[in-house]
Amino acid sequence: MKIRPLSNFNTTLEKIAADKSLSHRFAIFSLLSKERSRAKNYLLAEDTLNTLKIIENLGAGVEKSGDEISITPPAEFKEPNCVLDCGNSGTAMRLMLGFLAGLEGKFFTLSGDKYLNERPMGRVCEPLGQIGAQIYGRSGAKLAPLCVLGRGLRHFDFVSEISSAQVKTAMILAGFRADATCYFREKSLSRDHSEKMLLAMDAPLKISEDGLGIEITPLQRPLKALNFTLPNDPSSVFYFVLAALILPNSSICVKNVLLNPTRIEAYKILKKMGAKIDLACEANHFEPVGTIHAQSSELVGVEVDENIAWLIDEAPALAIAFALAKGKSSLKNAKELRVKESDRIRAVVANLQKCGIEARELEDGFEVEGGKPKSAKIQSFGDHRIAMSFMILGLICGMELDDVGCIGTSFPNFCQILESLGAEIDH
């Protein structure tokens, strides 16, 4: 795919892409109820559609009507006669491991695409194994495909060494089927969507004042059903906000955006760089939702080394902002980028260098010297966020990209929205 430079744009968008994290959780958490759950504006991307297929294979009824998804949990979970395909989604695989581990006597196999099957699963399988889960897979159940034989689970008091919402959620789901009250704690706060959504379902959770500790009581009854409208994904919106910032005489207004504090850290970094951005919360069901305004801005270099778990998805796009800012920027304490859909540290640096930008790998991040980028042919490494980030850079200098099919895993209408802004894309 080739994208040509764009002079400017001014637009208001109401529908971009529904939040992926909330979409996965809606589908999986609906299985904890006995009533029908409904969600409008569910993300219809490959990853989230795979999650719907997985719960169908477990016996759930899934109905699509316009932009609404309805899920009816099964009276009893099926033991599927097929592999549960998670596609490219680490969220789906890790959360399902926690959910399936306690379904006693039932056997399941989880797999994904070639990229997902090389991502680390030991961070979930090991703590689950310590409480009685039987999980088998490559490299001692550190890599998928993974087989799960549901067992009765023991209670736990677990402290996570990494800040991961996926690990946290998997352990919460396992704790719901444990033999006594469980305790989970992490060293720094990861995304808290699971806690918020589960509490809205009246789940037996107690959250510590600092948000780092969770008390999980085993389920004695089904949870309340969900019924809500999914907001726009701030990680998806970020690409178009960035485009408005870097193109002259441009502006954007995006409505109905999820503004959870653990999801807007990258916007705060842009503000530190001099970006003219305004975030206005306008509603709060169990998550804050509002409008984002942004306009063309002169950016300056910045050092980023805190709250990395809150901006891990936006890091490749932040690297584009670094490349166009005045002076040097750095991202540190982000070793988790090495084990995402690609090694994002290596991918970002290699592609920026191809574009004539001075960039250097760090063990846990990268340094970038702002400059004038040039058109290049870059590799996506099968990573949707690498592909989308460099397409945004292409609005400045033009860009050719390989393997852009990966964008469909999370944001199938990304190119369509770019074209609506006036971008010329050769497919």
Side-chain angles (χ1 to χ4, degrees):
M1 182 180 289
K2 290 182 180 179
I3 184 166
R4 303 182 191 282
L6 177 65
S7 58
N8 69 290
F9 68 89
N10 295 275
T11 191
T12 295
L13 299 173
E14 295 193 18
K15 191 169 183 179
I16 289 189
D19 190 77
K20 185 167 70 165
S21 296
L22 295 186
S23 294
H24 281 303
R25 284 161 173 78
F26 164 76
I28 295 169
F29 294 173
S30 69
L31 302 179
L32 299 171
S33 179
K34 286 298 181 184
E35 301 172 346
R36 178 179 294 183
S37 290
R38 296 178 175 84
K40 291 184 178 180
N41 196 36
Y42 184 90
L43 179 63
L44 300 178
E46 290 175 17
D47 280 353
T48 47
L49 290 173
N50 281 334
T51 298
L52 290 179
K53 186 65 177 177
I54 286 171
I55 68 170
E56 281 188 302
N57 285 324
L58 296 176
V62 177
E63 298 178 23
K64 304 181 184 73
S65 177
D67 69 344
E68 181 175 288
I69 297 289
S70 298
I71 298 174
T72 304
E76 181 180 353
F77 291 105
K78 290 181 180 178
E79 190 175 48
N81 63 357
C82 61
V83 171
L84 301 176
D85 182 10
C86 301
N88 190 245
S89 177
T91 299
M93 182 169 285
R94 294 182 180 120
L95 269 57
M96 289 308 306
L97 285 167
F99 182 83
L100 299 174
L103 296 181
E104 294 191 54
K106 297 187 184 294
F107 181 81
F108 312 93
T109 301
L110 293 163
S111 189
D113 64 18
K114 63 181 181 180
Y115 301 106
L116 179 60
N117 285 359
E118 294 302 322
R119 293 178 64 184
M121 293 297 147
R123 58 184 56 185
V124 169
C125 294
E126 288 172 12
L128 289 174
Q130 291 169 10
I131 62 173
Q134 286 195 346
I135 303 174
Y136 308 92
R138 294 189 302 132
S139 298
K142 292 179 180 176
L143 297 173
L146 295 163
C147 296
V148 181
L149 178 59
R151 294 282 302 275
L153 303 177
R154 298 185 294 273
H155 59 282
F156 58 83
D157 188 342
F158 178 69
V159 178
S160 180
E161 294 297 321
I162 60 173
S163 178
S164 167
Q166 295 173 2
V167 173
K168 174 169 60 178
T169 307
M171 296 306 290
I172 290 173
L173 292 171
F176 284 154
R177 298 186 186 278
D179 59 5
T181 299
C182 301
Y183 300 91
F184 175 92
R185 189 166 183 84
E186 56 188 351
K187 294 184 177 180
S188 61
L189 182 64
S190 62
R191 293 178 177 180
D192 59 357
H193 301 308
S194 293
E195 301 96 296
K196 289 180 180 293
M197 190 178 291
L198 288 167
L199 287 171
M201 298 175 74
D202 204 19
L205 299 177
K206 292 182 181 178
I207 314 298
S208 65
E209 284 190 18
D210 61 7
L212 300 177
I214 305 174
E215 180 182 297
I216 309 148
T217 301
L219 293 183
Q220 302 298 318
R221 54 173 175 71
L223 301 185
K224 291 180 180 178
L226 289 161
N227 190 348
F228 71 113
T229 299
L230 285 155
N232 284 313
D233 191 319
S235 300
S236 297
V237 171
F238 191 81
Y239 298 101
F240 302 102
V241 168
L242 176 62
L245 296 177
I246 64 176
L247 290 174
N249 305 312
S250 296
S251 67
I252 191 168
C253 171
V254 188
K255 300 181 178 181
N256 190 39
V257 185
L258 176 66
L259 298 180
N260 182 301
T262 66
R263 297 292 301 281
I264 57 175
E265 187 70 13
Y267 292 93
K268 293 180 180 179
I269 299 303
L270 288 178
K271 280 190 171 186
K272 290 180 180 179
M273 298 178 72
K276 299 173 184 176
I277 300 176
D278 178 63
L279 293 81
C281 181
E282 297 161 349
N284 196 329
H285 178 31
F286 58 84
E287 292 276 11
V289 176
T291 299
I292 297 179
H293 296 267
Q295 64 186 66
S296 304
S297 305
E298 294 291 330
L299 303 178
V300 296
V302 68
E303 294 183 2
V304 183
D305 58 11
E306 295 180 337
N307 296 330
I308 302 303
W310 297 1
L311 52 76
I312 205 76
D313 284 341
E314 294 83 6
L318 270 178
I320 304 304
F322 292 176
L324 296 168
K326 183 179 180 180
K328 181 181 289 187
S329 298
S330 64
L331 177 69
K332 299 178 181 178
N333 297 326
K335 199 170 184 178
E336 183 71 8
L337 287 171
R338 295 280 188 191
V339 292
K340 299 297 286 181
E341 282 81 342
S342 68
D343 180 340
R344 286 180 175 164
I345 294 173
R346 182 163 297 172
V348 161
V349 170
N351 284 324
L352 284 179
Q353 289 174 343
K354 287 182 180 180
C355 296
I357 296 296
E358 188 178 327
R360 183 169 72 91
E361 278 191 51
L362 307 175
E363 182 183 358
D364 61 349
F366 44 74
E367 290 182 345
V368 179
E369 185 73 37
K372 188 174 181 179
K374 63 181 182 181
S375 181
K377 183 174 182 179
I378 68 105
Q379 290 179 271
S380 72
F381 299 92
D383 188 329
H384 55 123
R385 299 203 185 275
I386 297 295
M388 291 187 289
S389 297
F390 280 86
M391 287 189 74
I392 296 302
L393 184 59
L395 296 176
I396 293 289
C397 57
M399 201 69 64
E400 183 176 351
L401 304 93
D402 73 349
D403 192 14
V404 294
C406 55
I407 293 174
T409 63
S410 67
F411 202 164
N413 59 328
F414 175 77
C415 291
Q416 180 182 347
I417 295 174
L418 272 181
E419 288 175 325
S420 75
L421 302 180
E424 295 183 25
I425 301 173
D426 297 333
H427 296 271

